[in-house]
Each structure stands twice: as structure tokens, then as C-alpha cells.
């Protein structure tokens, strides 16, 4: 009985840690995506500031 309780506690802890890693990872990924979107939107403004570089359009 004691072993079953310890195994159950270990499983609950492992699931909690895994859930925490998934949540923190998804929050970090969302922040990276938002930063990427901000950078890609400001890319058009930066490209206009340097006329010596050739321009191209993204599909």
C-alpha cells in the first residue's frame, strides 16, 4: 500500500512538472512569435530607409 501511494505521488509530480514545462514553453514560443511578427512588420520600414539595397517582395 505504501509503495502504491509513493508511485501515485511520483506520477502526479511528473505530470505537474511536464504540464509546467509545456505551459512555460508555449508562453515563450508565443513571445518569440510576437517578436518575429513585430520585426517582420518593421522590415518594410527599414527597407525603405536604405535605397541602395535591391528590393524584393515576399510571396
Amino acid at each position: 500500500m505504501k509503495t502504491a501511494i509513493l508511485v501515485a505521488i511520483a506520477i502526479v509530480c511528473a505530470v505537474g512538472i511536464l504540464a509546467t514545462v509545456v505551459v512555460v514553453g508555449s508562453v515563450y514560443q508565443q513571445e518569440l512569435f510576437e517578436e518575429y511578427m513585430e520585426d517582420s512588420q518593421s522590415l518594410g520600414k527599414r527597407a525603405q530607409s536604405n535605397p541602395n539595397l535591391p528590393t524584393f517582395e515576399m510571396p
Side-chain angles (χ1 to χ4, degrees):
M1 185 68 177
K2 214 178 210 186
T3 305
I5 292 174
L6 289 176
V7 169
I9 291 172
I11 291 172
V12 168
C13 288
V15 168
I17 291 170
L18 183 63
T20 302
V21 168
V22 168
V23 168
V24 170
S26 65
V27 168
Y28 179 68
Q29 183 179 13
Q30 182 66 29
E31 289 179 8
L32 286 178
F33 178 73
E34 289 173 359
E35 184 178 335
Y36 167 76
M37 290 303 292
E38 289 174 3
D39 289 345
S40 67
Q41 289 174 356
S42 66
L43 181 63
K45 296 174 186 173
R46 287 186 291 179
Q48 294 172 357
S49 65
N50 192 351
N52 296 330
L53 295 175
T55 58
F56 65 96
E57 295 204 12
M58 299 288 285

